[in-house]
Amino acid sequence: MSATVYGLDNCDTCKKARNWLARFGIEHAFVDYRAQRVPPETLKAWAAQLGGWDKLINRASTTWRQLPETRKSPATDPEWTLLLKEHPALVKRPVLVTQDGAVSVGFTDNGFKLRFGLQK
């Protein structure tokens, strides 16, 4: 199975995820979503698959904490996608999309083992 990892090039968690995939011989591509912005339709599809925008947004980030209160409660998909266009670092990292189209966020060794069928 192959995968695409979306994240930030200098993110330690993204580096751990990429190293894990390499260690287990799983082909993958990496997309730095600051350099290559993710289209709004894709962000919306990720949020829908994950169970809503809250599952895709990193509310613990410095970027989120520095936002004005008025920007922290988007009510519509276009408002969310505009916020992420302006602040791509708000997306949880990494976003992993496998060739079957399944989307997950974050990285743990056990989580990836389960995702790739390597758990005993």
Side-chain angles (χ1 to χ4, degrees), residues 39-57 76-77 80-81 84 95 101-105:
E41 310 79 46
T42 302
L43 292 169
K44 186 178 172 185
W46 288 354
Q49 193 174 137
L50 292 168
W53 289 103
D54 286 334
K55 304 286 186 192
L56 187 61
I57 302 300
T76 64
D77 290 340
W80 277 112
T81 57
L84 294 178
V95 175
V103 178
S104 63
V105 293

Side-chain angles (χ1 to χ4, degrees), residues 3-101:
T4 303
V5 177
Y6 294 84
L8 301 176
D9 197 40
N10 61 350
C11 169
D12 288 339
T13 306
C14 293
K15 289 175 186 175
K16 288 176 189 174
R18 293 164 67 190
N19 288 337
W20 187 97
L21 292 167
R23 188 171 75 244
F24 284 92
I26 297 169
E27 287 185 39
H28 63 282
F30 177 73
V31 176
D32 183 320
Y33 48 62
R34 271 196 186 127
Q36 295 175 270
R37 298 295 168 98
V38 178
E41 310 79 46
T42 302
L43 292 169
K44 186 178 172 185
W46 288 354
Q49 193 174 137
L50 292 168
W53 289 103
D54 286 334
K55 304 286 186 192
L56 187 61
I57 302 300
N58 182 1
R59 292 181 188 269
S61 72
T62 302
T63 304
W64 179 264
R65 290 191 304 270
Q66 291 176 349
L67 284 176
E69 286 301 316
T70 56
R71 297 297 309 275
K72 292 183 178 181
S73 53
T76 64
D77 290 340
E79 289 174 347
W80 277 112
T81 57
L82 177 62
L83 183 64
L84 294 178
K85 179 181 179 184
E86 293 171 6
H87 305 281
L90 288 174
V91 177
K92 284 184 181 174
R93 301 183 293 269
V95 175
L96 178 72
V97 181
T98 47
Q99 65 190 25
D100 60 1

